[in-house]
Amino acid sequence: MKPNKAVGIVGYGGYIPRYRIDAAEVNRVWKDSAMPLGRSFKAVPGPDEDTATIAIQAARNAMRMAQISPEKLRAVWFGTESKPYAVKPTSTIVADAIGALPHANAADWEFACKPGTEAMQAAIAMVGSGMAPYAMCGGADTAQARPGDILEYNTGAGGASFILGEAEESLAILEASTSYVTNTPDFFRREGQPYPSHGQRFTGKPAYFHHIRAAVGELLNETGATPESFKYAVFHQPNYQFPLKVAASLGFPKEKVEPFILTSQIGNTYSGAALLGLATALDAAAPGDKILLASYGSGAGSDAFSFTVTERIEEIRSRGVSIKSYLNRTRLIDYAVYARYRGKLRMN
Amino acid sequence: MKIEIAGVGTTKSAEKWELGLLDIAIKAAGKALKDAGSVTPDAVIVANALGGALGDQQNLALHVAGGLGYSHAETYSVCCDEASGGAAVRLASALIRSGMHDTVLVVGAEKTSDALPDMLETVRSAGLDAAREASFGFSPTIAGALGMQHYLSTYHLDKEAFYHIARIAHQHGSTNRNAIFPWALDRKQYLKSPIVATPLSVCDNAPPCDGAAAAILKKGSVQTSNVCILGSANTSDRKGIVFPITSLQLPAATQSATMALKEAGSQLSDMSLMELHDANTFLAALSIEAVGLAQPGKALERAQTDDFLLTGTMPLWTFGGHKSRGLAPGASGMYQLVEAVLELRGDAGENQITNANKALVQCLGSFGAQAVTHVLG
Amino acid sequence: MQIAKSWRRQPSNLRLEGTRCTGCGQLEFPTVIRCAQCGEIEFETYQFAGKGKVIVASTVYEATRDFGEHVPYCAAIIELEEGIHLATMITDVDPADVTVGMEVEMVTRRIAAQGDNGPILYAYKFAPQLQIL
């Protein structure tokens, strides 16, 4: 799939909260067992942060890079599975904060961890059809996990935002995008429940791997590209191993993938994960580089994208805030403080 | 025209679990009426800062008058944060001076112990700028902490310097049977008291309490032996906590004191004692400087001397101030007035100063944005 | 629930919009209705840049209702680039590390939520300027 009119990314920005907890600390509380080799941390939102505040800062950083007038945004779309309000859009809060209202479409998207890339496809279509000069899309989460669950070792917090515009102004131009979606209940959260449930090993082969392989396979077919055509490849990253494994099965070598796997530093940021990976890849990219993005959302589906970086990247990128700036800003906390910040202590 | 204070009365500052807001107001009023002999006031003015916001009795003056059995009194409730007491007295004076009334009962009353501490602090905060400050979590206590921090860094002082404010108040309060904390405060206790907001600790803050104080104001006669109001002023300045914290000045307090002294035809040095607003030690220090008892930055230095003691050259907080006697916010100004009257009448008992001739009484509202001063003699 | 109360303040709370007096040019944040300097009642919206410096700060341990979950937190008076003094909280920093003169920038945070069923107040706080790498 590609729009009639060429479309690209004119600005992007990410945000990661300051607090970190060591996975070993989570293990200490629940299992106190020997941990596998390699340290791993996850980002924890502060007591005054939530998905809306994360999305706002990511959106501000994208606007700072794009340097466009906010009234020209015709859409502000954010995807999340941790909405501060169950009913009432988070996107209107974000859009209001960046001054994009009232002549904009604002909506929250939901597809487990991939609503941000769905919104990206829609934003591409909106700009590509000529309906909008610019459209913003993004994903952010304060990822939920049942205390003690395997998920709790790495459910992080963070988000990223992208502004789509005409190719001539872009730092990276879209070549094509595909989607592959089935009805696969590998991971879900029922209405009113605080924590998600998952099918353990069922989340692997028939879910994550099958859908990403299918979406990327279709993208390669459609564009005639091969893994060798890409400088970097970014995959949804629920953990450190899955993206490397799916990359290998598709023929992408580790060095094209690993630098953009942030899970050992910030954990799995759910709707923010693939997009923060893409932002990190764009931070590293040079003109002419091709970048593959493949998201994954339980339920289940994957959206794949191919971007080519333009000559403009250095100038545009220099106005923004690198993901590294947030990766390097850390404050370690223990499980007790984490439990407090995440509202896991019963107060009322 | 002179206004004379024909009778005064207070309740003990305490947590009065058995009595409600109206009860303590009527109790203090009853004592003042008894003290004045047989008078029936034409008007009843009640100062109260928090009752309505705490869900307690509104239109308090009407209910106090009713409780006292008056059926034809003119009533007003005055709500000017911690300056309510002073403002109520000033309003009573205006009614008398205008010739509308001859005798006015003024009562200050506050019931704080029915609210949980965080709720009380929230409601007290609404006296600040509600939109810009209170709704962002700022309170008078936090403002006091910021002011104290700025004071210490501007004048290169240690936190310990503020001890002397609390020390004087507690020394005077130790012999006041109506005080909520009637004990002397030693340096060690002060320094180890828990921090509320750095650098301000529990011992810097006046303790909220239930309390009521009342006075009967009358059109003055030429040869009265009663204490009289010689001058008064109620002034305001820019609202908000930012100015006093950043400038370390209370312009309203300075202006209010100057105007009241001028009306009284007095100098600062004519005063035998002063009751200044010590809701926290920071505001107390700024008040001392604002009325002219010390140069900017020198209040704490002077507080280290014996000058402000009952035996000193300018006694302050003669019954312990809000710090030791207790802070009943809307009644605080009335407590100050009653205590000064007792000193001037020679009825201060163990807290009596010698040669009490004239007194300056000043209460502050909304973190010093409002100041009401009375000069008595 | 005070829904309309936080709604009407959203321009200043979320975007740091203040006013510029059409009479004397005085800047105010948040917005004012009448200019205290010259009496003018017509204003232009003025967008504050959201950068400032700490004048004085305090670590708060005893908070008012709705703020207890944030203690200990840093309360401060800052001076905005435009010269306005503002009472605000400083976030994303250990309170004890906030210093006088520290450069801070506006961030939007969850200030308070009214229980589990009330509206969430999103508004400005300030954070140490992010070191951009």
Side-chain angles (χ1 to χ4, degrees):
Chain A
M1 298 190 289
K2 62 182 291 189
N4 295 332
K5 195 166 125 186
V7 171
I9 297 166
V10 300
Y12 64 91
Y15 179 79
I16 300 159
R18 166 181 186 242
Y19 301 99
R20 302 284 187 276
I21 184 169
D22 191 334
E25 170 70 358
V26 179
N27 177 66
R28 180 184 72 80
V29 171
W30 292 108
K31 293 225 165 74
D32 205 15
S33 62
M35 286 281 286
L37 289 176
R39 297 195 79 182
S40 174
F41 299 89
K42 66 173 191 170
V44 180
D48 59 0
E49 294 185 291
D50 63 17
T51 295
T53 68
I54 290 170
I56 287 169
Q57 196 57 50
R60 285 209 179 103
N61 288 339
M63 291 298 285
R64 171 180 171 153
M65 188 187 285
Q67 294 280 310
I68 60 164
S69 165
E71 300 93 52
K72 289 187 176 166
L73 286 171
R74 286 289 165 274
V76 177
W77 290 329
F78 262 83
T80 182
E81 52 183 291
S82 50
K83 283 161 65 86
Y85 289 100
V87 176
K88 192 227 166 289
T90 309
S91 292
T92 53
I93 306 170
V94 178
D96 198 10
I98 61 172
L101 297 181
H103 300 293
N105 186 301
D108 292 4
W109 296 58
E110 196 280 313
F111 195 137
C113 296
K114 84 167 184 81
T117 55
E118 286 190 80
M120 186 179 275
Q121 281 189 349
I124 288 165
M126 203 179 193
V127 175
S129 69
M131 277 180 75
Y134 301 104
M136 176 182 278
C137 62
D141 258 312
T142 56
Q144 303 133 335
R146 188 180 306 282
D149 190 288
I150 181 75
L151 283 177
E152 203 197 17
Y153 286 69
N154 81 332
T155 39
S161 172
F162 291 80
I163 299 168
L164 283 301
E166 290 182 10
E168 297 76 53
E169 297 174 45
S170 298
L171 57 91
I173 296 171
L174 176 93
E175 284 174 335
S177 176
T178 56
S179 283
Y180 182 87
V181 173
T182 71
N183 182 10
T184 305
D186 56 320
F187 173 111
F188 49 82
R189 179 165 67 82
R190 293 268 301 276
E191 175 65 30
Q193 294 302 306
Y195 304 121
S197 305
H198 56 90
Q200 301 279 356
R201 289 183 58 76
F202 182 65
T203 61
K205 193 175 170 192
Y208 179 89
F209 293 100
H210 173 69
H211 290 81
I212 289 184
R213 282 173 53 84
V216 173
E218 200 184 325
L219 183 81
L220 297 180
N221 272 343
E222 208 175 279
T223 58
T226 63
E228 290 71 39
S229 319
F230 292 92
K231 179 77 188 274
Y232 302 130
V234 176
F235 296 95
H236 176 58
Q237 33 200 273
N239 53 44
Y240 177 72
Q241 296 85 6
F242 274 28
L244 287 178
K245 207 168 148 188
V246 79
S249 78
L250 285 162
F252 289 89
K254 189 176 176 181
E255 64 270 17
K256 289 185 177 181
V257 181
E258 202 205 17
F260 317 113
I261 302 176
L262 307 177
T263 52
S264 63
Q265 295 171 79
I266 62 168
N268 175 7
T269 56
Y270 285 6
S271 303
L275 295 179
L276 273 169
L278 175 62
T280 310
L282 289 169
D283 278 351
D289 289 349
K290 259 162 101 90
I291 298 175
L292 173 88
L293 169 69
S295 65
Y296 175 72
S298 292
S302 171
D303 304 320
F305 301 76
S306 169
F307 291 102
T308 301
V309 174
T310 73
E311 298 291 336
R312 285 175 209 87
I313 189 158
E314 272 149 24
E315 187 208 327
I316 299 176
R317 188 172 57 197
S318 68
R319 304 192 292 245
V321 179
S322 66
I323 302 304
K324 195 177 168 189
S325 311
Y326 290 112
L327 292 174
N328 278 32
R329 182 189 71 150
T330 63
R331 168 76 163 83
L332 203 61
I333 56 174
D334 63 15
Y335 195 90
V337 172
Y338 157 79
R340 183 185 159 186
Y341 284 3
R342 294 297 281 128
K344 290 176 191 294
L345 301 172
R346 188 169 171 167
M347 303 292 284
N348 295 309
Chain B
M1 181 198 296
K2 272 189 179 176
I3 308 281
E4 59 183 88
I5 300 170
V8 293
T10 64
T11 65
K12 178 176 162 60
S13 296
E15 290 169 320
K16 294 196 167 295
W17 304 113
E18 300 80 9
L19 297 176
L21 175 59
L22 198 54
D23 301 330
I24 56 171
I26 291 171
K27 195 169 178 182
K31 286 185 175 180
L33 287 162
K34 200 170 172 185
D35 186 46
S38 58
V39 291
T40 303
D42 311 307
V44 176
I45 302 177
V46 178
N48 172 256
L50 311 175
L54 288 172
D56 211 317
Q57 182 68 60
Q58 303 222 52
N59 200 2
L60 193 55
L62 173 85
H63 293 273
V64 169
L68 290 166
Y70 302 146
S71 48
H72 300 292
E74 178 167 355
T75 61
Y76 295 102
S77 301
V78 172
C79 184
C80 298
D81 197 59
E82 287 165 19
S84 300
V89 171
R90 174 118 171 121
L91 176 58
S93 304
L95 290 178
I96 295 169
R97 284 191 191 199
S98 69
M100 286 173 74
H101 295 302
D102 290 337
T103 309
V104 180
L105 166 65
V106 186
V107 187
E110 202 74 75
K111 177 75 190 166
T112 60
S113 66
D114 281 349
L116 295 174
D118 66 335
M119 188 60 190
L120 178 66
E121 193 68 3
T122 304
V123 169
R124 280 187 70 198
S125 305
L128 306 177
D129 187 323
R132 293 162 174 80
E133 294 163 359
S135 63
F136 283 82
F138 284 82
S139 64
T141 303
I142 295 168
L146 287 164
M148 182 181 266
Q149 180 59 48
H150 200 225
Y151 192 98
L152 293 175
S153 58
T154 301
Y155 298 123
H156 309 287
L157 296 168
D158 289 331
K159 164 73 198 298
E160 200 173 342
F162 277 96
Y163 162 62
H164 298 283
I165 301 270
R167 172 183 64 89
I168 296 164
H170 272 275
Q171 185 169 330
H172 296 172
S174 67
T175 49
N176 175 5
R177 263 177 291 171
N178 277 333
I180 187 168
F181 293 149
W183 54 72
L185 180 74
D186 70 35
R187 187 184 302 260
K188 226 163 140 187
Q189 261 177 305
Y190 175 80
L191 289 175
K192 74 174 188 200
S193 86
I195 299 288
V196 180
T198 56
L200 186 143
S201 64
V202 168
C203 279
D204 290 300
N205 243 358
C209 67
D210 304 336
I216 312 291
L217 269 56
K218 268 174 62 181
K219 186 176 169 181
S221 55
V222 181
Q223 60 280 69
T224 180
S225 58
N226 280 331
V227 173
C228 292
I229 296 172
L230 306 178
S232 71
N234 175 359
T235 58
S236 65
D237 197 69
R238 66 205 92 181
K239 65 194 169 83
I241 61 172
V242 165
F243 185 79
I245 293 169
T246 54
S247 69
L248 302 176
Q249 288 172 22
L250 297 174
T254 303
Q255 201 198 0
S256 161
T258 307
M259 286 167 65
L261 285 167
K262 191 178 172 196
E263 192 192 359
S266 299
Q267 308 287 323
L268 201 63
S269 54
D270 298 336
M271 299 299 112
S272 322
L273 70 113
M274 290 194 196
E275 295 299 332
L276 300 179
H277 192 77
D278 60 336
N280 57 57
T281 54
F282 167 70
L283 279 179
L286 284 202
S287 297
I288 289 169
E289 293 167 13
V291 299
L293 288 181
Q295 291 296 310
K298 298 292 181 193
L300 303 180
E301 202 177 300
R302 191 158 183 210
Q304 283 185 45
T305 70
D306 293 340
D307 287 357
F308 299 149
L309 296 179
L310 292 176
T311 50
T313 53
M314 182 60 76
L316 300 184
W317 315 302
T318 57
F319 283 78
H322 307 327
K323 179 70 199 76
S324 171
R325 174 240 301 130
L327 177 68
S332 59
M334 285 306 295
Y335 269 98
Q336 293 175 308
L337 182 100
V338 169
E339 288 161 354
V341 168
L342 293 176
E343 289 287 356
L344 296 175
R345 287 193 338 197
D347 290 338
E350 285 183 76
N351 292 63
Q352 185 63 52
I353 64 166
T354 52
N355 301 321
N357 192 21
K358 285 180 182 172
L360 183 146
V361 178
Q362 184 179 72
C363 54
L364 305 178
S366 299
F367 207 66
Q370 182 174 12
V372 187
T373 309
H374 283 91
V375 175
L376 309 176
Chain C
M1 280 203 281
Q2 301 183 319
I3 294 172
K5 199 164 137 184
S6 50
W7 169 78
R8 80 172 73 96
R9 294 181 193 143
Q10 280 171 187
S12 57
N13 283 351
L14 291 176
R15 294 194 299 275
L16 227 56
E17 278 181 18
T19 45
R20 185 179 174 280
C21 176
T22 57
C24 68
Q26 176 78 13
L27 299 180
E28 293 286 354
F29 181 84
T31 52
V32 294
I33 301 296
R34 180 180 181 273
C35 181
Q37 308 292 318
C38 74
E40 180 57 61
I41 55 167
E42 298 293 329
F43 296 92
E44 295 164 352
T45 296
Y46 186 87
Q47 178 63 58
F48 283 80
K51 299 212 184 302
K53 278 184 183 172
V54 173
I55 297 175
V56 58
S58 167
T59 305
V60 177
Y61 297 99
E62 301 288 339
T64 52
R65 180 156 288 197
D66 295 335
F67 295 89
E69 63 177 304
H70 300 295
V71 296
Y73 64 81
C74 176
I77 307 291
I78 65 165
E79 181 171 288
L80 296 176
E81 258 179 14
E82 296 84 355
I84 302 268
H85 289 174
L86 186 66
T88 185
M89 290 188 199
I90 310 292
T91 189
D92 283 353
V93 61
D94 290 4
D97 293 341
V98 177
T99 52
V100 173
M102 179 184 259
E103 295 194 352
V104 291
E105 59 194 1
M106 190 265 281
V107 294
T108 302
R109 290 301 161 95
R110 195 179 163 113
I111 301 294
Q114 289 168 19
D116 287 339
N117 293 310
I120 303 165
L121 172 64
Y122 291 100
Y124 56 84
K125 285 189 180 181
F126 282 72
Q129 272 194 10
L130 183 71
Q131 195 192 344
I132 296 175
L133 302 170

